[in-house]
């Protein structure tokens, strides 16, 4: 027994006194002895862990430190944010694009327009013209209410002295190795008249409100799209969709510029390149998984 816990030992057992005094003695004596014993055990475990860590670190610091920085920082921060399975998030990747995949996008009230990306110094706008563009032209797409059957996001970066690593975020239904671009992926169920998600696909869908995607490429199979207006004046599309686009004067939609609005936008096999994904509402992510893995990963690694 530790000296601190031993302080509460008595020649006679605690609580030999009668009545209330005896009851109080028994309770307080046990409480203090237990509390100090727990503190001592924690201190001993902490000292042992420190000793173990020192011995491991001497032999593997060069190997483990970069991985700890890459993996732990990203995972701890992001898992902390999504621990309740619903969050507001702004996920951007500086000057680099990241890949987005989804088996099906069921979007109510979608609006978009052309704008420069807010990331400065991007050099991959045009692979054939390097180190010229300071900004890239992108589509700002906003969705008032979105449901997605499966989601996979992949951001790849080259870490100095370590090599290429990919941050992968998956949720909902499994993503197949590839999409055909002309059919709805197997296993995804939709309403034959409206194209909206139904049954199991709806029950396990990612659900998001006020979702904004900053992208230079989005492709897929349009299914039962309705209420679409191409060429609507860009400054009005946000009002049509019940959305508020934000940014500096150069990034906001301009009067008379090209815009689009769709009351119902359904896209199967969504494949996109994005500079940023911004959620001003909430997102629910069933079966969320976030991991950092070596190498440049592709859609085939999502499942």
């Amino acid at each position: 027994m530790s000296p601190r816990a031993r302080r509460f030992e008595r020649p006679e057992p605690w609580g030999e006194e009668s009545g209330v005094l005896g009851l109080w003695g028994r309770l307080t004596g046990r409480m203090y002895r237990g509390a100090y014993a727990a503190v001592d055990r924690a201190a001993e475990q902490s000292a042992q862990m420190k000793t173990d860590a020192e011995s491991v670190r001497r032999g593997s610091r060069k190997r483990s430190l970069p991985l700890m920085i890459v993996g732990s920082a990203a995972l701890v921060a992001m898992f902390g944010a999504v621990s309740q399975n619903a969050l507001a998030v702004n996920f951007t990747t500086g000057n680099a694009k990241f890949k987005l995949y989804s088996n099906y996008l069921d979007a109510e009230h979608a609006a978009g327009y052309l704008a420069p990306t807010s990331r400065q110094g991007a050099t991959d706008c045009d692979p054939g013209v390097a180190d010229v563009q300071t900004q890239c032209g992108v589509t700002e797409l906003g969705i008032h209410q979105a449901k997605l059957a499966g989601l996979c996001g992949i951001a790849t970066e080259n870490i100095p002295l370590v090599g290429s690593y990919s941050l992968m975020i998956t949720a909902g239904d499994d993503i197949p190795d590839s999409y055909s671009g002309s059919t709805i992926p197997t296993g995804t169920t939709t309403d034959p008249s409206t194209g909206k998600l139904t049954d199991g696909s709806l029950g396990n869908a990612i659900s998001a409100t006020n979702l904004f995607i900053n992208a230079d490429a989005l492709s897929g199979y349009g299914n039962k799209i309705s209420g679409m207006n191409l060429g609507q004046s860009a400054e009005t599309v946000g009002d049509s969709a019940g959305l508020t686009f934000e940014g500096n004067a150069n990034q906001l939609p301009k009067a008379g510029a090209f815009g689009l609005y769709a009351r119902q936008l359904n896209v199967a096999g969504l494949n996109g390149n994005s500079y940023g994904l911004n959620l001003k509402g909430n997102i629910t992510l069933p079966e969320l998984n976030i991991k950092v893995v070596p190498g440049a990963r592709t859609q085939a690694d999502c499942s």
Side-chain angles (χ1 to χ4, degrees):
M1 182 178 297
S2 72
R4 282 184 292 196
R6 193 174 292 113
R7 290 169 53 192
F8 293 92
E9 289 293 294
R10 297 183 55 182
E12 303 84 16
W14 282 93
E16 287 296 315
E17 300 87 345
S18 62
V20 174
L21 183 60
L23 177 61
W24 177 253
R26 288 193 296 273
L27 291 175
T28 55
R30 291 173 183 172
M31 179 183 71
Y32 281 111
R33 286 199 305 273
Y36 279 116
V39 170
D40 291 328
R41 286 195 301 271
E44 291 171 0
Q45 292 173 355
S46 177
Q48 183 61 46
M49 291 172 64
K50 183 177 179 180
T51 300
D52 294 342
E54 286 295 334
S55 64
V56 172
R57 187 160 57 243
R58 292 189 190 99
S60 59
R61 176 177 296 180
K62 291 182 180 180
R63 295 192 304 271
S64 62
L65 185 57
L67 299 182
M68 178 189 69
I69 294 172
V70 174
S72 298
L75 293 177
V76 169
M78 299 191 76
F79 271 121
V82 301
S83 60
Q84 299 303 313
N85 211 37
L87 72 159
V89 62
N90 185 346
F91 179 56
T92 59
T93 55
N95 296 333
K97 301 172 187 178
F98 63 93
K99 297 292 295 184
L100 283 175
Y101 304 98
S102 179
N103 296 339
Y104 201 88
L105 169 64
D106 171 348
E108 295 181 10
H109 302 292
Y113 63 96
L114 299 176
T117 178
S118 59
R119 261 63 66 194
Q120 295 285 345
T123 60
D124 59 349
C125 305
D126 184 347
V129 183
D131 302 319
V132 175
Q133 299 94 338
T134 58
Q135 289 187 316
C136 298
V138 296
T139 296
E140 291 284 354
L141 177 65
I143 302 171
H144 184 67
Q145 178 67 53
K147 292 182 175 61
L148 298 105
L151 175 67
C152 179
I154 304 175
T156 301
E157 289 194 22
N158 188 46
I159 310 299
L161 305 179
V162 176
S164 179
Y165 270 78
S166 296
L167 171 65
M168 300 186 66
I169 303 173
T170 60
D173 295 344
D174 289 340
I175 301 296
D177 292 349
S178 63
Y179 295 130
S180 70
S182 59
T183 60
I184 299 173
T186 302
T188 301
T189 55
T190 62
D191 185 292
S193 60
T194 65
K196 295 179 66 63
L197 289 171
T198 60
D199 302 330
S201 295
L202 179 61
N204 199 42
I206 293 96
S207 178
T209 57
N210 296 333
L211 169 66
F212 295 85
I213 300 173
N214 179 289
D216 67 354
L218 291 171
S219 63
Y221 167 55
N223 181 47
K224 309 291 184 183
I225 297 172
S226 62
M228 175 172 278
N229 185 3
L230 289 174
Q232 181 173 331
S233 185
E235 90 283 7
T236 67
V237 295
D239 290 339
S240 297
L243 297 167
T244 300
F245 289 97
E246 296 180 355
N248 61 40
N250 193 39
Q251 297 160 359
L252 292 175
K254 306 293 191 300
F258 178 88
L260 66 88
Y261 165 75
R263 184 177 64 253
Q264 182 67 41
L265 178 65
N266 304 315
V267 181
L270 179 67
N271 181 338
N273 296 326
S274 177
Y275 286 98
L277 186 152
N278 189 313
L279 285 156
K280 295 176 184 173
N282 290 327
I283 184 169
T284 300
L285 296 160
E287 302 179 37
L288 174 66
N289 183 30
I290 303 175
K291 59 184 178 181
V292 175
V293 293
R297 299 307 175 107
T298 67
Q299 182 179 351
D301 299 301
C302 289
S303 58

